[in-house]
Amino acid sequence: MPLAPGDALQRMEILLTAFESMVPPPKRVTFRDGFVFRYAEKSLHQAMVQKLARVISGISAATLLLQNGFLQEHAAIQRMLDEFCEDVAFLCFAAIDGEMTDLHHWYLEEFYTEELDVVDGVVALARKRGMIPRKRIRAYITNRAEYGPDPSTRNAQLTTIAKAYSGYVHGASAQVMEMYGGNPPKFHVRGMRQSPLFADHAHDIWNYYYRGIVTFGMAAKAFGSETIVAEALQLLREFEDSSPERAPNDS
């Protein structure tokens, strides 16, 4: 029986809760007059849990934006999801191989860096967090056998997709002009459900649900849980039966 997108998200949340239970929980850390939660161990698997949480929330947000016709913002979040899924794959391979590269150590150092500090009661910028060049992360994952026999082509595909969606993040002219049209023509700033582009966006988000489920399956392998791997594979099989043309608001 085809699985509705909303049900797929709920199942991913269940898997996330299972992963959370497999790492030391966050601790309260004093911040100003209150506290914040932080993972004290700053581990590889704790980083996976955090990125997987953003995969779920990102898919949820993209779906809500799509349902209300905010295609520009929906596409911008899909660009973020591309990186979240790449990051999880990058981290998972280190756990699966049982080997952390220098690039992984660098990634985790920057990932856990605190940018803000409190000095004399005032929040100040303590250190600018660095960013690992995205091309290095893509090169690492596309050189894996799991990504196929032609890493250069796969890398080029991922880069092309990222470039296209970056225009929505940064508001490039060609992407912004997709908001313009109608009779009389104008910028549609309160949603574009009637746009001829809506169907393409509705079709495309199915891929992000699918990739999200695949990413959770990869994480299950990285956590070493055959039970969760089986659950993720079952979820994937059920979701594959759903129609790519089905808009998320039909669930």
PDB file of all heavy atoms in Angstrom, residues 144-175:
ATOM      1  N   ARG A 144      33.077   7.109  -3.301  1.00  0.00           N
ATOM      2  CA  ARG A 144      32.684   5.833  -2.720  1.00  0.00           C
ATOM      3  C   ARG A 144      32.022   4.952  -3.775  1.00  0.00           C
ATOM      4  O   ARG A 144      31.302   5.433  -4.661  1.00  0.00           O
ATOM      5  CB  ARG A 144      31.687   6.071  -1.576  1.00  0.00           C
ATOM      6  CG  ARG A 144      32.206   6.929  -0.462  1.00  0.00           C
ATOM      7  CD  ARG A 144      33.107   6.179   0.445  1.00  0.00           C
ATOM      8  NE  ARG A 144      32.480   4.975   0.981  1.00  0.00           N
ATOM      9  CZ  ARG A 144      32.917   4.326   2.050  1.00  0.00           C
ATOM     10  NH1 ARG A 144      33.989   4.752   2.684  1.00  0.00           N
ATOM     11  NH2 ARG A 144      32.317   3.239   2.479  1.00  0.00           N
ATOM     12  N   ALA A 145      32.211   3.658  -3.666  1.00  0.00           N
ATOM     13  CA  ALA A 145      31.611   2.717  -4.619  1.00  0.00           C
ATOM     14  C   ALA A 145      30.090   2.782  -4.567  1.00  0.00           C
ATOM     15  O   ALA A 145      29.417   2.536  -5.575  1.00  0.00           O
ATOM     16  CB  ALA A 145      32.081   1.297  -4.304  1.00  0.00           C
ATOM     17  N   GLU A 146      29.543   3.141  -3.386  1.00  0.00           N
ATOM     18  CA  GLU A 146      28.094   3.215  -3.239  1.00  0.00           C
ATOM     19  C   GLU A 146      27.470   4.254  -4.173  1.00  0.00           C
ATOM     20  O   GLU A 146      26.271   4.193  -4.466  1.00  0.00           O
ATOM     21  CB  GLU A 146      27.727   3.569  -1.790  1.00  0.00           C
ATOM     22  CG  GLU A 146      28.057   2.491  -0.779  1.00  0.00           C
ATOM     23  CD  GLU A 146      29.466   2.625  -0.210  1.00  0.00           C
ATOM     24  OE1 GLU A 146      30.320   3.281  -0.853  1.00  0.00           O
ATOM     25  OE2 GLU A 146      29.713   2.064   0.860  1.00  0.00           O
ATOM     26  N   TYR A 147      28.263   5.212  -4.634  1.00  0.00           N
ATOM     27  CA  TYR A 147      27.744   6.272  -5.490  1.00  0.00           C
ATOM     28  C   TYR A 147      27.941   5.973  -6.975  1.00  0.00           C
ATOM     29  O   TYR A 147      27.673   6.824  -7.810  1.00  0.00           O
ATOM     30  CB  TYR A 147      28.402   7.613  -5.123  1.00  0.00           C
ATOM     31  CG  TYR A 147      27.703   8.305  -3.982  1.00  0.00           C
ATOM     32  CD1 TYR A 147      27.835   7.834  -2.681  1.00  0.00           C
ATOM     33  CD2 TYR A 147      26.878   9.401  -4.193  1.00  0.00           C
ATOM     34  CE1 TYR A 147      27.185   8.444  -1.622  1.00  0.00           C
ATOM     35  CE2 TYR A 147      26.222  10.019  -3.139  1.00  0.00           C
ATOM     36  CZ  TYR A 147      26.381   9.542  -1.861  1.00  0.00           C
ATOM     37  OH  TYR A 147      25.721  10.140  -0.812  1.00  0.00           O
ATOM     38  N   GLY A 148      28.387   4.761  -7.287  1.00  0.00           N
ATOM     39  CA  GLY A 148      28.505   4.381  -8.687  1.00  0.00           C
ATOM     40  C   GLY A 148      29.937   4.377  -9.182  1.00  0.00           C
ATOM     41  O   GLY A 148      30.853   4.836  -8.501  1.00  0.00           O
ATOM     42  N   PRO A 149      30.134   3.860 -10.399  1.00  0.00           N
ATOM     43  CA  PRO A 149      31.484   3.681 -10.935  1.00  0.00           C
ATOM     44  C   PRO A 149      32.105   4.939 -11.541  1.00  0.00           C
ATOM     45  O   PRO A 149      33.262   4.924 -11.922  1.00  0.00           O
ATOM     46  CB  PRO A 149      31.265   2.618 -12.025  1.00  0.00           C
ATOM     47  CG  PRO A 149      29.869   2.891 -12.504  1.00  0.00           C
ATOM     48  CD  PRO A 149      29.099   3.330 -11.291  1.00  0.00           C
ATOM     49  N   ASP A 150      31.334   6.013 -11.652  1.00  0.00           N
ATOM     50  CA  ASP A 150      31.835   7.222 -12.318  1.00  0.00           C
ATOM     51  C   ASP A 150      31.740   8.420 -11.369  1.00  0.00           C
ATOM     52  O   ASP A 150      30.802   9.222 -11.450  1.00  0.00           O
ATOM     53  CB  ASP A 150      31.013   7.487 -13.582  1.00  0.00           C
ATOM     54  CG  ASP A 150      31.584   8.626 -14.423  1.00  0.00           C
ATOM     55  OD1 ASP A 150      32.563   9.253 -13.984  1.00  0.00           O
ATOM     56  OD2 ASP A 150      31.035   8.882 -15.511  1.00  0.00           O
ATOM     57  N   PRO A 151      32.703   8.569 -10.451  1.00  0.00           N
ATOM     58  CA  PRO A 151      32.615   9.632  -9.452  1.00  0.00           C
ATOM     59  C   PRO A 151      32.628  11.036 -10.031  1.00  0.00           C
ATOM     60  O   PRO A 151      31.962  11.924  -9.512  1.00  0.00           O
ATOM     61  CB  PRO A 151      33.847   9.390  -8.563  1.00  0.00           C
ATOM     62  CG  PRO A 151      34.771   8.560  -9.383  1.00  0.00           C
ATOM     63  CD  PRO A 151      33.894   7.722 -10.250  1.00  0.00           C
ATOM     64  N   SER A 152      33.344  11.257 -11.117  1.00  0.00           N
ATOM     65  CA  SER A 152      33.421  12.604 -11.679  1.00  0.00           C
ATOM     66  C   SER A 152      32.066  13.062 -12.213  1.00  0.00           C
ATOM     67  O   SER A 152      31.659  14.207 -12.021  1.00  0.00           O
ATOM     68  CB  SER A 152      34.475  12.672 -12.782  1.00  0.00           C
ATOM     69  OG  SER A 152      34.156  11.774 -13.832  1.00  0.00           O
ATOM     70  N   THR A 153      31.339  12.143 -12.877  1.00  0.00           N
ATOM     71  CA  THR A 153      30.018  12.488 -13.398  1.00  0.00           C
ATOM     72  C   THR A 153      29.044  12.746 -12.254  1.00  0.00           C
ATOM     73  O   THR A 153      28.268  13.709 -12.281  1.00  0.00           O
ATOM     74  CB  THR A 153      29.474  11.367 -14.294  1.00  0.00           C
ATOM     75  OG1 THR A 153      30.334  11.216 -15.428  1.00  0.00           O
ATOM     76  CG2 THR A 153      28.065  11.682 -14.773  1.00  0.00           C
ATOM     77  N   ARG A 154      29.074  11.881 -11.238  1.00  0.00           N
ATOM     78  CA  ARG A 154      28.169  12.052 -10.103  1.00  0.00           C
ATOM     79  C   ARG A 154      28.466  13.365  -9.372  1.00  0.00           C
ATOM     80  O   ARG A 154      27.546  14.092  -8.979  1.00  0.00           O
ATOM     81  CB  ARG A 154      28.323  10.864  -9.146  1.00  0.00           C
ATOM     82  CG  ARG A 154      27.399  10.922  -7.929  1.00  0.00           C
ATOM     83  CD  ARG A 154      25.946  11.002  -8.330  1.00  0.00           C
ATOM     84  NE  ARG A 154      25.064  11.001  -7.169  1.00  0.00           N
ATOM     85  CZ  ARG A 154      23.834  11.478  -7.174  1.00  0.00           C
ATOM     86  NH1 ARG A 154      23.321  12.000  -8.273  1.00  0.00           N
ATOM     87  NH2 ARG A 154      23.094  11.429  -6.092  1.00  0.00           N
ATOM     88  N   ASN A 155      29.742  13.670  -9.214  1.00  0.00           N
ATOM     89  CA  ASN A 155      30.133  14.924  -8.556  1.00  0.00           C
ATOM     90  C   ASN A 155      29.621  16.119  -9.350  1.00  0.00           C
ATOM     91  O   ASN A 155      29.083  17.090  -8.791  1.00  0.00           O
ATOM     92  CB  ASN A 155      31.656  14.986  -8.417  1.00  0.00           C
ATOM     93  CG  ASN A 155      32.098  16.016  -7.405  1.00  0.00           C
ATOM     94  OD1 ASN A 155      31.509  17.078  -7.267  1.00  0.00           O
ATOM     95  ND2 ASN A 155      33.169  15.713  -6.691  1.00  0.00           N
ATOM     96  N   ALA A 156      29.764  16.043 -10.680  1.00  0.00           N
ATOM     97  CA  ALA A 156      29.305  17.137 -11.537  1.00  0.00           C
ATOM     98  C   ALA A 156      27.793  17.309 -11.438  1.00  0.00           C
ATOM     99  O   ALA A 156      27.276  18.432 -11.435  1.00  0.00           O
ATOM    100  CB  ALA A 156      29.708  16.869 -12.984  1.00  0.00           C
ATOM    101  N   GLN A 157      27.060  16.188 -11.330  1.00  0.00           N
ATOM    102  CA  GLN A 157      25.607  16.257 -11.205  1.00  0.00           C
ATOM    103  C   GLN A 157      25.202  16.957  -9.904  1.00  0.00           C
ATOM    104  O   GLN A 157      24.321  17.833  -9.901  1.00  0.00           O
ATOM    105  CB  GLN A 157      25.012  14.847 -11.255  1.00  0.00           C
ATOM    106  CG  GLN A 157      25.100  14.186 -12.616  1.00  0.00           C
ATOM    107  CD  GLN A 157      24.719  12.719 -12.575  1.00  0.00           C
ATOM    108  OE1 GLN A 157      24.726  12.088 -11.510  1.00  0.00           O
ATOM    109  NE2 GLN A 157      24.373  12.164 -13.721  1.00  0.00           N
ATOM    110  N   LEU A 158      25.841  16.562  -8.800  1.00  0.00           N
ATOM    111  CA  LEU A 158      25.524  17.173  -7.509  1.00  0.00           C
ATOM    112  C   LEU A 158      25.850  18.663  -7.509  1.00  0.00           C
ATOM    113  O   LEU A 158      25.089  19.481  -6.974  1.00  0.00           O
ATOM    114  CB  LEU A 158      26.299  16.467  -6.389  1.00  0.00           C
ATOM    115  CG  LEU A 158      25.912  15.022  -6.087  1.00  0.00           C
ATOM    116  CD1 LEU A 158      26.810  14.450  -4.999  1.00  0.00           C
ATOM    117  CD2 LEU A 158      24.451  14.927  -5.660  1.00  0.00           C
ATOM    118  N   THR A 159      26.960  19.012  -8.139  1.00  0.00           N
ATOM    119  CA  THR A 159      27.365  20.420  -8.196  1.00  0.00           C
ATOM    120  C   THR A 159      26.391  21.235  -9.038  1.00  0.00           C
ATOM    121  O   THR A 159      26.025  22.358  -8.677  1.00  0.00           O
ATOM    122  CB  THR A 159      28.785  20.541  -8.769  1.00  0.00           C
ATOM    123  OG1 THR A 159      29.691  19.808  -7.933  1.00  0.00           O
ATOM    124  CG2 THR A 159      29.233  21.995  -8.819  1.00  0.00           C
ATOM    125  N   THR A 160      25.947  20.666 -10.148  1.00  0.00           N
ATOM    126  CA  THR A 160      24.998  21.364 -11.016  1.00  0.00           C
ATOM    127  C   THR A 160      23.677  21.613 -10.300  1.00  0.00           C
ATOM    128  O   THR A 160      23.107  22.711 -10.365  1.00  0.00           O
ATOM    129  CB  THR A 160      24.743  20.549 -12.296  1.00  0.00           C
ATOM    130  OG1 THR A 160      25.972  20.402 -13.015  1.00  0.00           O
ATOM    131  CG2 THR A 160      23.722  21.244 -13.192  1.00  0.00           C
ATOM    132  N   ILE A 161      23.180  20.600  -9.599  1.00  0.00           N
ATOM    133  CA  ILE A 161      21.935  20.750  -8.844  1.00  0.00           C
ATOM    134  C   ILE A 161      22.089  21.829  -7.775  1.00  0.00           C
ATOM    135  O   ILE A 161      21.213  22.685  -7.588  1.00  0.00           O
ATOM    136  CB  ILE A 161      21.531  19.412  -8.194  1.00  0.00           C
ATOM    137  CG1 ILE A 161      21.150  18.398  -9.275  1.00  0.00           C
ATOM    138  CG2 ILE A 161      20.374  19.604  -7.216  1.00  0.00           C
ATOM    139  CD1 ILE A 161      20.954  16.985  -8.755  1.00  0.00           C
ATOM    140  N   ALA A 162      23.221  21.798  -7.083  1.00  0.00           N
ATOM    141  CA  ALA A 162      23.460  22.784  -6.029  1.00  0.00           C
ATOM    142  C   ALA A 162      23.504  24.198  -6.591  1.00  0.00           C
ATOM    143  O   ALA A 162      22.953  25.135  -6.001  1.00  0.00           O
ATOM    144  CB  ALA A 162      24.776  22.461  -5.313  1.00  0.00           C
ATOM    145  N   LYS A 163      24.147  24.364  -7.734  1.00  0.00           N
ATOM    146  CA  LYS A 163      24.240  25.690  -8.355  1.00  0.00           C
ATOM    147  C   LYS A 163      22.850  26.203  -8.734  1.00  0.00           C
ATOM    148  O   LYS A 163      22.526  27.383  -8.544  1.00  0.00           O
ATOM    149  CB  LYS A 163      25.134  25.629  -9.596  1.00  0.00           C
ATOM    150  CG  LYS A 163      26.627  25.479  -9.304  1.00  0.00           C
ATOM    151  CD  LYS A 163      27.204  26.768  -8.745  1.00  0.00           C
ATOM    152  CE  LYS A 163      28.717  26.655  -8.613  1.00  0.00           C
ATOM    153  NZ  LYS A 163      29.296  27.903  -8.038  1.00  0.00           N
ATOM    154  N   ALA A 164      22.034  25.313  -9.289  1.00  0.00           N
ATOM    155  CA  ALA A 164      20.696  25.720  -9.713  1.00  0.00           C
ATOM    156  C   ALA A 164      19.859  26.182  -8.528  1.00  0.00           C
ATOM    157  O   ALA A 164      19.177  27.213  -8.583  1.00  0.00           O
ATOM    158  CB  ALA A 164      20.006  24.566 -10.435  1.00  0.00           C
ATOM    159  N   TYR A 165      19.909  25.417  -7.435  1.00  0.00           N
ATOM    160  CA  TYR A 165      19.106  25.762  -6.263  1.00  0.00           C
ATOM    161  C   TYR A 165      19.694  26.919  -5.466  1.00  0.00           C
ATOM    162  O   TYR A 165      18.971  27.588  -4.724  1.00  0.00           O
ATOM    163  CB  TYR A 165      18.921  24.541  -5.370  1.00  0.00           C
ATOM    164  CG  TYR A 165      17.837  23.612  -5.857  1.00  0.00           C
ATOM    165  CD1 TYR A 165      18.147  22.399  -6.458  1.00  0.00           C
ATOM    166  CD2 TYR A 165      16.496  23.961  -5.720  1.00  0.00           C
ATOM    167  CE1 TYR A 165      17.152  21.550  -6.910  1.00  0.00           C
ATOM    168  CE2 TYR A 165      15.490  23.123  -6.179  1.00  0.00           C
ATOM    169  CZ  TYR A 165      15.825  21.918  -6.769  1.00  0.00           C
ATOM    170  OH  TYR A 165      14.828  21.091  -7.223  1.00  0.00           O
ATOM    171  N   SER A 166      20.988  27.171  -5.616  1.00  0.00           N
ATOM    172  CA  SER A 166      21.604  28.294  -4.906  1.00  0.00           C
ATOM    173  C   SER A 166      20.980  29.617  -5.331  1.00  0.00           C
ATOM    174  O   SER A 166      20.930  30.572  -4.554  1.00  0.00           O
ATOM    175  CB  SER A 166      23.118  28.333  -5.158  1.00  0.00           C
ATOM    176  OG  SER A 166      23.766  27.306  -4.461  1.00  0.00           O
ATOM    177  N   GLY A 167      20.489  29.685  -6.562  1.00  0.00           N
ATOM    178  CA  GLY A 167      19.846  30.899  -7.038  1.00  0.00           C
ATOM    179  C   GLY A 167      18.610  31.250  -6.225  1.00  0.00           C
ATOM    180  O   GLY A 167      18.275  32.428  -6.054  1.00  0.00           O
ATOM    181  N   TYR A 168      17.924  30.228  -5.697  1.00  0.00           N
ATOM    182  CA  TYR A 168      16.762  30.471  -4.841  1.00  0.00           C
ATOM    183  C   TYR A 168      17.191  30.948  -3.455  1.00  0.00           C
ATOM    184  O   TYR A 168      16.521  31.768  -2.830  1.00  0.00           O
ATOM    185  CB  TYR A 168      15.919  29.197  -4.706  1.00  0.00           C
ATOM    186  CG  TYR A 168      15.275  28.768  -5.994  1.00  0.00           C
ATOM    187  CD1 TYR A 168      15.784  27.703  -6.741  1.00  0.00           C
ATOM    188  CD2 TYR A 168      14.141  29.432  -6.478  1.00  0.00           C
ATOM    189  CE1 TYR A 168      15.187  27.310  -7.926  1.00  0.00           C
ATOM    190  CE2 TYR A 168      13.538  29.043  -7.666  1.00  0.00           C
ATOM    191  CZ  TYR A 168      14.071  27.982  -8.384  1.00  0.00           C
ATOM    192  OH  TYR A 168      13.483  27.598  -9.571  1.00  0.00           O
ATOM    193  N   VAL A 169      18.323  30.437  -2.975  1.00  0.00           N
ATOM    194  CA  VAL A 169      18.824  30.845  -1.659  1.00  0.00           C
ATOM    195  C   VAL A 169      19.268  32.301  -1.678  1.00  0.00           C
ATOM    196  O   VAL A 169      18.945  33.085  -0.772  1.00  0.00           O
ATOM    197  CB  VAL A 169      19.999  29.939  -1.220  1.00  0.00           C
ATOM    198  CG1 VAL A 169      20.603  30.448   0.086  1.00  0.00           C
ATOM    199  CG2 VAL A 169      19.539  28.493  -1.071  1.00  0.00           C
ATOM    200  N   HIS A 170      20.001  32.682  -2.719  1.00  0.00           N
ATOM    201  CA  HIS A 170      20.605  34.012  -2.774  1.00  0.00           C
ATOM    202  C   HIS A 170      19.779  35.030  -3.556  1.00  0.00           C
ATOM    203  O   HIS A 170      20.160  36.194  -3.644  1.00  0.00           O
ATOM    204  CB  HIS A 170      22.005  33.910  -3.379  1.00  0.00           C
ATOM    205  CG  HIS A 170      22.920  33.002  -2.597  1.00  0.00           C
ATOM    206  ND1 HIS A 170      23.378  33.337  -1.343  1.00  0.00           N
ATOM    207  CD2 HIS A 170      23.426  31.775  -2.873  1.00  0.00           C
ATOM    208  CE1 HIS A 170      24.143  32.346  -0.881  1.00  0.00           C
ATOM    209  NE2 HIS A 170      24.189  31.397  -1.801  1.00  0.00           N
ATOM    210  N   GLY A 171      18.654  34.587  -4.100  1.00  0.00           N
ATOM    211  CA  GLY A 171      17.789  35.515  -4.819  1.00  0.00           C
ATOM    212  C   GLY A 171      18.372  35.986  -6.135  1.00  0.00           C
ATOM    213  O   GLY A 171      18.335  37.183  -6.448  1.00  0.00           O
ATOM    214  N   ALA A 172      18.900  35.062  -6.932  1.00  0.00           N
ATOM    215  CA  ALA A 172      19.419  35.418  -8.253  1.00  0.00           C
ATOM    216  C   ALA A 172      18.268  35.844  -9.164  1.00  0.00           C
ATOM    217  O   ALA A 172      17.131  35.378  -9.020  1.00  0.00           O
ATOM    218  CB  ALA A 172      20.166  34.232  -8.869  1.00  0.00           C
ATOM    219  N   SER A 173      18.559  36.717 -10.107  1.00  0.00           N
ATOM    220  CA  SER A 173      17.513  37.321 -10.932  1.00  0.00           C
ATOM    221  C   SER A 173      16.660  36.286 -11.656  1.00  0.00           C
ATOM    222  O   SER A 173      15.428  36.373 -11.668  1.00  0.00           O
ATOM    223  CB  SER A 173      18.139  38.277 -11.950  1.00  0.00           C
ATOM    224  OG  SER A 173      17.150  38.814 -12.802  1.00  0.00           O
ATOM    225  N   ALA A 174      17.302  35.301 -12.297  1.00  0.00           N
ATOM    226  CA  ALA A 174      16.535  34.327 -13.084  1.00  0.00           C
ATOM    227  C   ALA A 174      15.519  33.595 -12.219  1.00  0.00           C
ATOM    228  O   ALA A 174      14.379  33.352 -12.654  1.00  0.00           O
ATOM    229  CB  ALA A 174      17.493  33.335 -13.743  1.00  0.00           C
ATOM    230  N   GLN A 175      15.913  33.249 -10.991  1.00  0.00           N
ATOM    231  CA  GLN A 175      14.992  32.547 -10.099  1.00  0.00           C
ATOM    232  C   GLN A 175      13.909  33.490  -9.566  1.00  0.00           C
ATOM    233  O   GLN A 175      12.737  33.114  -9.478  1.00  0.00           O
ATOM    234  CB  GLN A 175      15.766  31.906  -8.936  1.00  0.00           C
ATOM    235  CG  GLN A 175      16.473  30.607  -9.295  1.00  0.00           C
ATOM    236  CD  GLN A 175      17.800  30.831  -9.994  1.00  0.00           C
ATOM    237  OE1 GLN A 175      18.172  31.962 -10.306  1.00  0.00           O
ATOM    238  NE2 GLN A 175      18.531  29.754 -10.234  1.00  0.00           N
TER     239      GLN A 175
END
